[in-house]
Amino acid sequence: MPLIRNGEEAVNTWLHVETGEAGETPNGITVPLEAFLEKRDTLLARNTPLGVRLEPDDDPCRLAGDLDRLSLIEIAFPRYTDGRGYSTAQLLRRRLGYRGELRAVGHVLRDQLLYMHRSGFDAFETERAQIACVQDALGEFSSFYQPAADGHRHVFARRHT
Amino acid sequence: MTSVRPKLKPDVPKAITAWHTASGEVVWMTPKGDWTSNPDALGVFTGEVAEARLADARAAEGEVTDPYFMEVSETGEIRGRETLRETIRAQGPTTHPEFAKGEAL
Amino acid sequence: MYRYDEFDAQIVHDRVKQFRGQVARRLSGELKEDEFKPLRLQNGVYLQLHAYMLRVAIPYGQLSPRQLRRLAHVAREYDRGYGHFTTRQNIQFNWVALKDIPDVLETLAEVEMHAIQTSGNCIRNVTSDHFAGATADEVMDPRPWCEIIRQWSTFHPEFAYLPRKFKIAVTAAEHDRAAIRVHDIGLHIRRRGEAVGFEVHVGGGQGRTPHIAAKVHDFVPEAEILDYLEAIMRVYNRFGRRDNKYKARIKILVSETGAEEFKRLVDEEFAAQRPDEKVELPRAEIDRIHAYFAPPPLSGRPARSEVFERAKAADAAFASWAEVNLYPHKQSGHACVTVSLKPVGGIAGDATDTQMETVADLAERFGHGDIRVTHAQNLVMPHVALDDMYEVYRALEAAGLASANESLITDMIVCPGLDYCNLANARSIPVGQAIQREFASVEDQRDIGQLHLNISGCINACGHHHVGHIGVLGVDRKGEEYYQITFGGRADEKAAIGEIAGPALSAEDVPPALKRVVNRYRELRTDPSERFIDVYARTGLEPFKEALYAADQER
């Protein structure tokens, strides 16, 4: 599936391994949260990049101690109407200080990209979105009323600087 | 949240109704398979033909929105559990008789 | 009232452009209806029984004459000459073509209006007291905080795909006219000495499982209120149910979790916020927004207006209207005027383009340019001098806007029902009109006194039947319309959910049955000042239930 990272099309070299048993592969892998917590030491001992995929009801705070060892966190959107992933992303970026790649996967559509970006996502796996369309989607607004994970100064503050 | 639509058995005569996407106007499928805003011109379908026509309507989803079956008599009068709703849909709100398309309720 | 600065104007302009693109993609077939639906809903566009419906936001129910004239223009040019004011203090247009909606939004943006978040599973229009800034029983004007909450909630990236819709109401008055206890969040502004803070109620709501909100905080200081709201919203977004849309509102989370535990979760989330997660709301910004709501310059006038008194003596209908539709203003010699949109036999909340223009003109000439929409679907001019009242009345009367029935039995809240709504099971408006005709006499209505009668055409309860002193709920019985009656609901500071009396009645049985109920009330009251709802509190359901079904026993 096409991958957009930092606003540009990128090659996706990552594999998602549902069981957490990756075998020999040079690629980076992501595993479910439970698998990560269970096989943490084995997984961290691998020589390839490691990430975790969070489902909507996963608590990102359970990764608090391991964030600097993860190169990728995927947040799954089984349906785009399920908005829990936005809170997960904000928690990771703003509360827990995660700095690595944060990728939206699953039902990721053009009209949710800006909210996702504001919530802290910097990468999107999406069937439809073309690069031009992503840029359009991310540029639809230039001012925002509330602070979020994208670092924009919000309007309440901008009015007084 | 749309109201629950009753499931109609294959042999029950049915019409196919939807909304014209650009205008929102209520439309019905004619016997030939195109769309009309005149409820007197709707087509009556049954069985596999009805299913095939509904599938066509769903495929033409850009022109019309949310097509579904409604129960009618063999001659095309609105029938069944949703008679009141479908009559209001066909004739306009009972509170505004001046908007009526067909005969008053 | 608030005026847009360049940021507000840009955001609304960007939204119009964005929505224009979304509509174009829908019309080209690029977007399927199931993808487009949440997008259009977040901009107030529904597909109803007959057509698209556009719901335009009227933040906390406040309008300027210019805005109301523009709504009249939209009604005339893009609809069928009328609009429908709603219980969320908004307006709906019932016949707008999708292809025209971007143009409608553009013309509204010119007068600082929009349809942002008037539907969808996001934070909806913030509602408030329609007498805000004019009533003596408030500790401050709540509108500045409504505006701050409006801005904070607009396009909030984390809370656009909540489990279900989310409604916030704010009051600052002892008498609650904003129904805060039946909102997802109800805020009551309090003062402690010089400090301003918010009493927070969470988890109220109507629909199929009505709940009165639980108080979760006595006093959140004003500087922290947005952070506290963020904490509530995050707990709801993460833990609210998504498996069943009928159990997805925050009221279910609060009741299933327990109010204590819910409060603990919110407090825990609030305490965990890091300094850079806080919503920075500079004092200068709070002051800037407050400044827009400075009271109008009402000249000192004597409490008694000779012109007003003379007119009342000469015109009994005016005297009657003045007694029923005026509410005391905090400034002597003035009153808040309710412009009733409930003529007998009319459609509750509907106003034609020319009626809107009449009210806009009157507000400009006599009302300091201030117009409000009430949650009971009327309009209000909150600052009118008694000296001008007769002239205002005559103009309203000429426009068919002078029904003297504010809070009386014919001043009903009525949802659009099956005549318009895709969700309804039964019609609401016709049964409301039939009830109105049963109680058409003004003298009779005044003798009955305050009686809130609310009608919904389905269990979603848009007509607020749960909190009507008398509630009427339309149900479908094998294709036939029936109406279930409830008694004892109220939406004020003593909020309560009505009790179901018993089996539903047919449409034609409802008016005579309610006539018997009202007559029973008149027999039971100790004196005319004891309202229906007071008698109900004293006697309970039984005597009213008995009166409601009395016809069955006669048969």
Side-chain angles (χ1 to χ4, degrees):
Chain A
M1 198 175 285
L3 173 68
I4 311 292
R5 188 190 286 132
N6 296 322
E8 297 195 2
E9 185 153 15
V11 179
N12 183 13
T13 57
W14 288 77
L15 297 173
H16 178 65
V17 184
E18 194 59 33
T19 57
E21 315 271 354
E24 284 302 305
T25 163
N27 298 68
I29 60 163
T30 58
V31 299
L33 176 65
E34 290 304 330
F36 173 77
L37 294 172
E38 216 170 279
K39 306 184 172 74
R40 186 174 169 280
D41 295 338
T42 325
L43 287 164
L44 286 170
R46 290 169 55 96
N47 289 323
T48 53
L50 182 66
V52 171
R53 176 175 293 186
L54 296 175
E55 297 300 324
D57 58 353
D58 284 339
D59 181 359
C61 298
R62 299 176 73 190
L63 288 174
D66 298 306
L67 289 173
D68 51 359
R69 303 158 92 161
L70 300 176
S71 328
L72 172 66
I73 295 178
E74 294 175 325
I75 297 178
F77 288 83
R79 285 175 309 143
Y80 74 94
T81 47
D82 185 337
R84 286 176 285 184
Y86 297 95
S87 288
T88 308
Q90 293 251 33
L91 279 167
L92 280 167
R93 289 293 195 211
R94 303 177 75 202
R95 175 112 2 119
L96 303 170
Y98 173 66
R99 302 245 162 268
E101 181 178 334
L102 190 57
R103 187 185 293 185
V105 301
H107 201 193
V108 178
L109 304 175
R110 177 203 194 278
D111 293 285
Q112 285 74 50
L113 293 179
L114 180 57
Y115 285 150
M116 287 178 172
H117 174 71
R118 295 213 65 218
S119 298
F121 290 95
D122 51 9
F124 312 97
E125 244 182 59
T126 164
E127 246 167 275
R128 299 252 202 110
Q130 305 298 309
I131 291 175
C133 157
V134 172
Q135 296 292 9
D136 284 350
L138 297 181
E140 282 174 334
F141 289 88
S142 51
S143 299
F144 306 100
Y145 282 122
Q146 55 297 101
D150 59 350
H152 263 286
R153 290 265 296 152
H154 63 296
V155 166
F156 290 143
R158 282 173 70 190
R159 285 178 173 137
H160 300 278
T161 46
Chain B
M1 292 231 280
T2 314
S3 63
V4 180
R5 291 170 182 154
K7 221 168 161 55
L8 302 177
K9 291 190 174 129
D11 56 340
V12 171
K14 29 185 105 67
I16 297 168
T17 183
W19 292 262
H20 183 244
T21 298
S23 69
E25 197 174 6
V26 174
V27 289
W28 296 266
M29 190 181 274
T30 66
K32 283 154 81 187
D34 46 18
W35 297 97
T36 176
S37 57
N38 174 11
D40 298 333
L42 58 78
V44 180
F45 308 100
T46 51
E48 283 174 18
V49 177
E51 293 295 339
R53 286 298 170 92
L54 183 62
D56 291 347
R58 291 208 169 119
E61 207 253 358
E63 188 194 352
V64 299
T65 291
D66 195 16
Y68 65 94
F69 285 141
M70 56 183 268
E71 188 174 344
V72 291
S73 71
E74 279 164 20
T75 49
E77 286 101 28
I78 297 169
R79 280 278 167 86
R81 209 181 169 304
E82 297 295 328
T83 298
L84 180 61
R85 176 191 311 274
E86 291 302 340
T87 305
I88 292 173
R89 259 182 103 243
Q91 298 179 355
T94 62
T95 51
H96 282 278
E98 71 274 25
F99 298 157
K101 290 181 190 170
E103 286 171 30
L105 193 65
Chain C
M1 64 186 285
Y2 187 71
R3 296 301 309 268
Y4 284 4
D5 69 357
E6 71 268 29
F7 293 108
D8 303 306
Q10 185 64 46
I11 287 168
V12 169
H13 175 80
D14 289 345
R15 176 55 170 148
V16 174
K17 195 165 160 234
Q18 180 189 43
F19 193 67
R20 194 180 284 284
Q22 290 170 346
V23 169
R25 284 188 285 137
R26 173 69 188 123
L27 294 179
S28 75
E30 185 184 331
L31 280 175
K32 298 286 175 226
E33 173 63 9
D34 61 337
E35 294 164 352
F36 181 58
K37 189 173 173 183
L39 303 179
R40 64 169 164 78
L41 287 177
Q42 300 236 352
N43 216 23
V45 180
Y46 285 73
L47 187 52
Q48 289 290 27
L49 221 45
H50 309 287
Y52 290 101
M53 181 197 91
L54 174 64
R55 182 181 294 153
V56 177
I58 302 176
Y60 36 94
Q62 174 145 40
L63 284 168
S64 69
R66 182 164 178 250
Q67 290 174 325
L68 188 53
R69 281 194 196 100
R70 193 58 63 98
L71 293 174
H73 167 80
V74 170
R76 191 158 45 231
E77 297 300 321
Y78 297 96
D79 203 276
R80 297 188 174 182
Y82 68 100
H84 176 76
F85 291 96
T86 78
T87 59
R88 295 213 43 81
Q89 303 180 306
N90 291 322
I91 188 170
Q92 293 172 179
F93 295 105
N94 287 310
W95 303 94
V96 193
L98 180 62
K99 62 184 173 47
D100 292 336
I101 289 177
D103 294 340
V104 173
L105 295 173
E106 197 155 301
T107 191
L108 291 173
E110 289 170 7
V111 295
E112 305 176 11
M113 297 191 83
H114 60 75
I116 295 165
Q117 291 172 206
T118 53
S119 181
N121 294 337
C122 51
I123 302 175
R124 304 283 191 88
N125 183 35
V126 179
T127 54
S128 190
D129 184 346
H130 46 264
F131 294 143
T135 175
D137 71 339
E138 65 188 12
V139 299
M140 63 176 283
D141 188 337
R143 290 172 299 160
W145 281 104
C146 293
E147 178 58 28
I148 290 168
I149 292 167
R150 180 192 78 81
Q151 295 190 19
W152 158 79
S153 62
T154 296
F155 301 130
H156 197 301
E158 188 175 340
F159 308 129
Y161 292 93
L162 295 168
R164 200 71 181 81
K165 60 186 168 183
F166 204 92
K167 302 174 179 179
I168 301 177
V170 188
T171 187
E174 269 322 304
H175 179 48
D176 177 9
R177 284 170 290 262
I180 67 166
R181 285 164 186 79
V182 286
H183 277 77
D184 296 287
I185 293 180
L187 299 175
H188 192 141
I189 302 181
R190 302 282 188 189
R191 274 190 194 277
R192 286 183 180 173
E194 286 301 292
V196 172
F198 293 79
E199 184 182 289
V200 182
H201 301 257
V202 182
Q206 301 195 53
R208 66 185 63 209
T209 43
H211 284 272
I212 301 298
K215 187 165 79 174
V216 299
H217 210 298
D218 287 320
F219 194 84
V220 177
E222 58 178 348
E224 295 172 14
I225 187 64
L226 295 183
D227 299 318
Y228 196 77
L229 292 177
E230 292 239 336
I232 295 172
M233 297 311 301
R234 181 170 288 170
V235 168
Y236 172 53
N237 191 40
R238 293 184 66 197
F239 305 119
R241 288 183 60 171
R242 291 173 186 267
D243 58 326
N244 178 341
K245 69 184 169 197
Y246 300 120
K247 296 187 173 173
R249 294 288 289 271
I250 196 172
K251 63 191 173 186
I252 303 296
L253 177 65
V254 173
S255 75
E256 286 184 353
T257 313
E260 279 302 306
E261 174 62 9
F262 177 80
K263 177 180 162 51
R264 194 193 64 74
L265 289 169
V266 171
D267 289 344
E268 184 180 85
E269 168 60 31
F270 183 60
Q273 289 172 351
R274 294 169 19 147
D276 62 346
E277 287 181 77
K278 302 284 185 188
V279 181
E280 182 194 348
L281 184 61
R283 185 71 240 175
E285 177 63 1
I286 297 176
D287 293 343
R288 184 189 79 90
I289 290 179
H290 275 72
Y292 285 106
F293 297 92
L298 303 181
S299 49
R301 291 177 194 248
R304 185 185 159 85
S305 155
E306 295 306 327
V307 189
F308 180 63
E309 296 301 329
R310 271 200 305 277
K312 281 200 293 186
D315 184 340
F318 172 61
S320 182
W321 175 85
E323 211 147 307
V324 174
N325 285 33
L326 300 187
Y327 178 85
H329 198 284
K330 62 184 176 186
Q331 191 72 40
S332 70
H334 294 80
C336 306
V337 176
T338 296
V339 178
S340 170
L341 301 180
K342 316 289 178 65
V344 170
I347 296 177
D350 273 17
T352 64
D353 53 344
T354 51
Q355 287 178 324
M356 290 186 229
E357 283 164 346
T358 298
V359 175
D361 291 346
L362 290 172
E364 204 157 58
R365 284 173 64 204
F366 302 110
H368 297 269
D370 195 342
I371 302 150
R372 313 287 173 81
V373 183
T374 78
H375 93 272
Q377 303 179 281
N378 291 314
L379 299 177
V380 160
M381 288 187 278
H383 320 285
V384 178
L386 293 178
D387 290 343
D388 297 328
M389 206 57 84
Y390 194 51
E391 202 171 341
V392 168
Y393 168 78
R394 294 286 296 273
L396 290 174
E397 194 191 21
L401 291 168
S403 300
N405 61 355
E406 196 276 320
S407 278
L408 301 184
I409 190 167
T410 59
D411 182 15
M412 306 165 176
I413 295 177
V414 187
C415 78
L418 189 55
D419 281 302
Y420 289 95
C421 177
N422 232 343
L423 306 178
N425 297 117
R427 287 175 292 167
S428 305
I429 300 165
V431 75
Q433 291 168 333
I435 297 168
Q436 278 187 319
R437 284 192 284 270
E438 190 76 41
F439 296 98
S441 147
V442 176
E443 295 72 36
D444 197 29
Q445 290 181 50
R446 289 189 60 192
D447 177 67
I448 298 163
Q450 192 199 79
L451 204 166
H452 293 154
L453 196 153
N454 296 350
I455 307 176
S456 304
C458 78
I459 192 62
N460 292 305
C462 298
H464 291 196
H465 67 277
H466 291 303
V467 293
H469 299 168
I470 297 176
V472 178
L473 165 65
V475 294
D476 169 301
R477 218 192 249 175
K478 295 183 182 147
E480 300 275 323
E481 296 168 296
Y482 275 76
Y483 297 88
Q484 195 175 69
I485 311 296
T486 56
F487 294 118
R490 56 197 293 178
D492 61 4
E493 61 282 1
K494 292 180 183 160
I497 304 300
E499 284 180 83
I500 298 170
L505 306 172
S506 71
E508 71 265 20
D509 285 345
V510 171
L514 292 182
K515 188 82 174 185
R516 291 193 298 275
V517 166
V518 168
N519 287 339
R520 178 60 55 85
Y521 150 69
R522 282 199 267 217
E523 291 159 20
L524 289 170
R525 67 185 175 189
T526 50
D527 67 84
S529 74
E530 195 184 26
R531 301 170 303 168
F532 177 89
I533 193 69
D534 303 325
V535 171
Y536 182 86
R538 181 161 60 75
T539 67
L541 181 64
E542 271 321 303
F544 300 110
K545 180 174 174 176
E546 194 186 281
L548 188 73
Y549 297 111
D552 295 344
Q553 285 155 14
E554 285 162 20
R555 276 175 199 154

